[in-house]
Amino acid sequence: MSYLVLARKCRPQKFQDVVGQKPVVRILQNALKRNRVAHAMIFSGVRGVGKTTLARIMAKALNCHNHAEAPCDHCSSCEDIKAGNSIDLHEIDGASNRGIQEIRDLKENLRFLPASEKYKIVIIDEVHMLTTEAFNALLKTLEEPPEHVFFMFATTELHKVPITILSRCQRYELKRVSFVELVSFFGKIAAQEGVDVSPEALDIVAREADGSVRDGLSLLDQIFSFGGQTITEDDLTQVLGLVDNRIFAHLAAALLKADLGTVLGLLHDIYAQGVNIKRFSLGLLQYFRSLLICKTCRTPTDILDISDQEMADLLDIAAKYSFETLSNVFNIIFQGVEGMRYTSYPRAALEIVFIKASHVGEVAPVSALLGRLDALLAAE
């Protein structure tokens, strides 16, 4: 039997299993409870946050034999949808069925009553890929569909969907899943799989997932294959080619101290490990962004999705330096990252960036110069 990846194995089958989309889940559950389900719905958001999953759960709930408010996940209808065998659920890939003829065929099929269930349900994934002609062919049916038909669309690029389609749909915008929720969820998955993953490793997986549950599960699949029954932070950085966040902390501290020898030594070690320099520079830029946020915001935890230990380290470094210093280093790195997009020698370019950034402390801020000038004028 072939292996089933975690992204499919752990796909939520009930509303309570969905990660990080409580407002949308609540609306859908109340719509079912009060019999106010819209005939056309569109789920939007970044990859891997639950758009297609919620559409399938709604499909199960509408045709469930045992419950009117949520899928039981045990009746024949729920089992058929879960197995992909339901003949009254039409799940279409908008990228490969994007033409007007496919939509005409779909409309013709929808004229007939469901074969075995109460409703026919159409799920179109990546609906923004449909052609303009296909969208136009869908308009009238979408506005006044047969009573036995529900439409559910999913898209990562809502702005590409014509406003004429959007005005006929009830919109649900799914947010990125928070860092804390991802860590908790991935920890549960690791426990179910019988793998001991260190908290630091889980933090890295959640950070690399960038709000996407599916991306994080794909990373877990990789490290489970590599590390066996125990996964550490070092295992994760090694197998995924990532840079330990502690490296960014050490490099930032050395850079702000103008310790150029340590900075270039760390860069040499990173280069020797085969880390992509351009990707590394983006990570460093992100780290200095975090430092600026910690320096300027009263509640940086509301903006930064990071672990408590990382937050403590950032606050410690940010407290030692002025806003001008941190801002100047950030701007130098930002300009360097932009320039590295066009160079064939990213290591040399980054070394020059570090040399420039290490001299920031020698540049007096304008406010300090004006203060000195006022003092000289007052002395005269």
Side-chain angles (χ1 to χ4, degrees):
M1 183 177 179
S2 60
Y3 172 69
L4 193 64
V5 296
L6 289 176
R8 292 183 59 191
K9 182 179 179 180
C10 301
R11 183 186 288 273
Q13 300 298 331
K14 296 182 179 180
F15 285 121
Q16 58 265 36
D17 298 331
V18 177
V19 182
Q21 306 297 342
K22 292 181 181 178
V24 175
V25 167
R26 180 179 178 182
I27 293 172
L28 295 176
Q29 286 180 309
N30 286 339
L32 288 164
K33 183 178 180 179
R34 298 166 186 170
N35 196 26
R36 297 180 61 88
V37 179
H39 64 268
M41 293 169 272
I42 185 165
F43 300 92
S44 64
V46 299
R47 70 204 180 280
V49 292
K51 301 181 296 297
T52 306
T53 293
L54 281 172
R56 289 179 181 174
I57 294 175
M58 278 298 290
K60 290 165 66 175
L62 288 167
N63 280 331
C64 183
H65 297 167
N66 296 328
H67 295 288
E69 301 175 8
C72 68
D73 207 35
H74 299 299
C75 67
S76 58
S77 175
C78 289
E79 290 289 348
D80 285 344
I81 292 176
K82 184 162 56 174
N85 298 328
S86 176
I87 58 177
D88 292 318
L89 173 63
H90 302 272
E91 191 164 345
I92 301 169
D93 174 20
S96 55
N97 298 276
R98 59 195 306 264
I100 188 172
Q101 188 56 50
E102 286 86 350
I103 298 301
R104 284 174 177 168
D105 294 342
L106 176 64
K107 289 171 62 179
E108 184 66 23
N109 182 283
L110 295 179
R111 292 173 48 218
F112 303 103
L113 291 172
S116 60
E117 304 301 339
K118 186 177 181 180
Y119 300 110
K120 278 190 175 182
I121 297 171
V122 179
I123 299 176
I124 303 182
D125 207 0
E126 298 302 340
V127 69
H128 66 272
M129 298 293 288
L130 296 183
T131 64
T132 302
E133 293 77 13
F135 275 126
N136 290 337
L138 195 59
L139 285 177
K140 187 61 178 175
T141 304
L142 193 62
E143 185 172 11
E144 298 177 0
E147 291 185 0
H148 60 271
V149 175
F150 283 90
F151 287 95
M152 299 179 195
F153 304 139
T155 177
T156 54
E157 301 186 49
L158 188 66
H159 60 280
K160 291 185 178 180
V161 180
I163 190 64
T164 50
I165 295 291
L166 294 179
S167 65
R168 290 164 167 82
C169 299
Q170 198 167 86
R171 282 183 267 180
Y172 299 97
E173 298 187 20
L174 278 62
K175 64 180 181 179
R176 293 178 184 271
V177 182
S178 71
F179 178 85
V180 174
E181 288 174 310
L182 286 175
V183 170
S184 175
F185 177 68
F186 294 151
K188 292 177 182 177
I189 297 300
Q192 291 173 9
E193 295 294 311
V195 180
D196 181 19
V197 183
S198 70
E200 296 78 13
L202 286 175
D203 288 345
I204 294 175
V205 172
R207 186 172 66 244
E208 289 297 312
D210 193 25
S212 170
V213 177
R214 186 172 61 235
D215 286 5
L217 290 174
S218 297
L219 291 177
L220 283 180
D221 256 325
Q222 280 186 268
I223 63 173
F224 286 174
S225 299
F226 174 80
Q229 299 303 309
T230 303
I231 302 294
T232 65
E233 185 177 9
D234 292 336
D235 292 332
L236 199 61
T237 55
Q238 180 181 349
V239 72
L240 299 180
L242 303 176
V243 177
D244 191 332
N245 219 46
R246 291 171 297 186
I247 297 296
F248 290 130
H250 293 159
L251 197 149
L255 199 58
L256 291 167
K257 292 177 183 177
D259 186 357
L260 193 56
T262 299
V263 170
L264 295 180
L266 287 170
L267 179 59
H268 173 76
D269 293 340
I270 291 165
Y271 184 79
Q273 292 171 14
V275 174
N276 184 287
I277 294 299
K278 292 184 179 180
R279 181 176 180 180
F280 168 76
S281 63
L282 289 172
L284 183 62
L285 182 66
Q286 181 72 21
Y287 191 85
F288 270 92
R289 167 187 172 269
S290 300
L291 283 174
L292 278 172
I293 290 173
C294 288
K295 188 68 179 179
T296 55
C297 295
R298 293 182 178 179
T299 55
T301 51
D302 294 342
I303 301 175
L304 301 176
D305 271 345
I306 56 178
S307 66
D308 293 340
Q309 183 58 51
E310 289 179 54
M311 179 61 72
D313 293 340
L314 285 167
L315 290 171
D316 181 57
I317 295 176
K320 297 177 182 178
Y321 300 94
S322 66
F323 168 79
E324 289 81 4
T325 298
L326 296 175
S327 179
N328 287 338
V329 174
F330 175 85
N331 287 330
I332 291 172
I333 296 175
F334 181 80
Q335 293 170 7
V337 168
E338 285 294 298
M340 286 172 63
R341 293 167 57 189
Y342 310 104
T343 182
S344 301
Y345 305 99
R347 180 182 178 181
L350 191 56
E351 287 172 341
I352 297 300
V353 168
F354 287 160
I355 292 171
K356 290 180 180 179
S358 65
H359 290 83
V360 163
E362 300 174 8
V363 179
V366 175
S367 58
L369 293 176
L370 290 176
R372 293 177 191 175
L373 181 59
D374 289 342
L376 289 173
L377 292 176
E380 293 179 358

